[in-house]
Amino acid sequence: MLAGVAIAALALAGCSSKEDPATDPSAGAGSGLAALSGELKASGASFPNTYYQEVITSLKDEAPNLKVTYNSVGSGTGKKEFGSGLTDFAGSDSTVKDTDGVPAGTFLYVPTVAAPITISYNLKGVDNLQLSADTLAKIFQREIKTWNAPEIAADNPGVTLPATAISVAHRADGSGTTNNFTKYLAAAAPTTWKLGSGDTVAWPADTQGGQKNTGVAQLIQAADGGIGYVDLADATDGKLTFAAIKNKDGKFVKPTLEGATAALAGAEIKDDLTFNPLNAAGADSYPITAPTYLLVKTTYTDAKQKELVKAFVTYLLKDTKDLAAELHYAPLPAELQTKALAQLDKIS
């Protein structure tokens, strides 16, 4: 009953008598959170982990009797644990496939934020690197093996490139970051990229795999000539150097919050609220901008768990926009945020 009262308070807090909380995405969760008590368990994508952990920390001040844990194990493992009933909700940067262990019709997508996937590199003497999609595809397929290759030189006129060997790092675990990076290459370099897309792909044998985004960041740092794909938050924390990527409009754009927001503006939203900002048009769009979602159940057998999940997701969507931006994640546009909140009304 306490949880139910708290949700009612959530809907009202921050709204004037003329505001409708169902249509006002700026309305905050408010003080009703203080009445919540219980525990929520979740796991999944490492891509939004920095943000989710800060949301959970922030929530402790508002709801001291609610314990929320989110284990950053990768999208693939997160989906399997969610499908097995081990968690109350999951984080995923990729959509659910038949082989992921989550039965169709048992879950809903709730988009939360989007963020750039950086192409981070470690190359002495080169602080500003530009890469096109076709060049990236050839690097990660190991068709280009040295940094002074003609294709890289063509992307970087006037830059002195060393003959250093390229060391490619990628995710070893099932990963939504891998899914989105390879989807980008398939879309932006369709005649060059040959490895397909998915949470896992068959990387060349002479590449290195790391666990989670942090593991890839460590591999890049450890190798002179290293390159890999890492979410902006972890790449920033690791003090990595990022390349500017050529977008659909032919402009080389660095991974920034502004570039991700521009990409979001041109993303097509499907009926299930999945969306694709990858390779979006627009001069300011960063082309490897990825979405991320929470997967929630369509039905919770425990009414209290249902209300706790709804309260947590409502808080995340309504009250942590500024926090998301501080951590290099782009908040959802108002229209998509409203639709994301409406997903919670479908839970029984």
Side-chain angles (χ1 to χ4, degrees):
M1 289 180 65
L2 281 175
V5 171
I7 293 301
L10 280 173
L12 294 172
C15 299
S16 73
S17 59
K18 294 182 180 180
E19 289 173 331
D20 177 359
T23 59
D24 178 20
S26 65
S31 60
L33 290 165
L36 299 175
S37 65
E39 183 175 2
L40 290 173
K41 295 180 180 179
S43 66
S46 65
F47 180 76
N49 182 58
T50 299
Y51 170 51
Y52 290 167
Q53 297 301 340
E54 287 298 323
V55 169
I56 291 168
T57 298
S58 173
L59 182 60
K60 288 178 182 177
D61 293 332
E62 304 289 340
N65 296 316
L66 175 60
K67 180 181 179 182
V68 183
T69 57
Y70 179 84
N71 291 324
S72 172
V73 293
S75 295
T77 299
K79 285 183 281 191
K80 286 181 171 58
E81 291 182 350
F82 178 68
S84 299
L86 299 176
T87 55
D88 298 297
F89 60 92
S92 181
D93 310 322
S94 56
T95 55
V96 176
K97 303 294 188 293
D98 292 340
T99 55
D100 286 332
V102 187
T106 66
F107 69 95
L108 298 166
Y109 293 103
V110 181
T112 56
V113 288
I117 298 173
T118 73
I119 301 303
S120 293
Y121 67 97
N122 178 8
L123 187 60
K124 292 177 182 177
V126 181
D127 297 324
N128 293 291
L129 184 70
Q130 299 182 157
L131 294 170
S132 62
D134 286 305
T135 301
L136 265 181
K138 290 179 180 179
I139 288 172
F140 279 84
Q141 286 175 169
R142 302 295 287 152
E143 294 171 16
I144 295 175
K145 295 190 175 184
T146 59
W147 280 106
N148 63 347
E151 295 93 337
I152 301 177
D155 286 344
N156 296 273
V159 176
T160 301
L161 297 164
T164 307
I166 296 174
S167 176
V168 171
H170 58 81
R171 288 286 289 275
D173 51 330
S175 159
T177 309
T178 297
N179 191 302
N180 283 301
F181 176 57
T182 54
K183 278 173 64 178
Y184 159 73
L185 290 175
T191 60
T192 304
W193 182 246
K194 302 179 180 67
L195 301 185
S197 62
D199 286 3
T200 60
V201 299
W203 297 105
D206 60 346
T207 59
Q208 291 183 292
Q211 294 292 324
K212 302 190 288 188
N213 278 283
T214 50
V216 176
Q218 290 168 358
L219 289 173
I220 297 167
Q221 288 173 319
D224 181 23
I227 188 171
Y229 53 93
V230 183
D231 71 280
L232 181 58
D234 282 313
T236 300
D237 287 346
K239 297 180 171 55
L240 298 179
T241 303
F242 325 132
I245 306 302
K246 191 174 185 179
N247 68 16
K248 200 169 188 176
D249 284 29
K251 305 293 185 182
F252 286 98
V253 179
K254 287 265 192 175
T256 63
L257 182 61
E258 292 76 17
T261 301
L264 271 178
E268 179 183 352
I269 303 169
K270 296 183 179 179
D271 290 342
D272 63 0
L273 297 197
T274 58
F275 63 102
N276 183 11
L278 295 166
N279 201 35
D284 298 325
S285 294
Y286 180 70
I288 323 179
T289 295
T292 194
Y293 312 93
L294 292 180
L295 306 179
V296 300
K297 299 177 183 178
T298 53
T299 302
Y300 287 85
T301 55
D302 186 324
K304 181 178 180 179
Q305 290 305 101
K306 178 189 77 170
E307 299 303 339
L308 292 179
V309 169
K310 292 174 68 174
F312 173 76
V313 179
T314 299
Y315 174 77
L316 183 149
L317 290 171
K318 285 187 174 181
D319 289 292
T320 65
K321 276 190 169 185
D322 290 344
L323 181 60
E326 289 171 10
L327 297 169
H328 312 292
Y329 295 89
L332 301 177
E335 180 183 1
L336 182 54
Q337 183 196 29
T338 298
K339 290 180 178 180
L341 286 165
Q343 289 286 75
L344 303 178
D345 295 331
K346 300 175 184 178
I347 301 173
S348 62

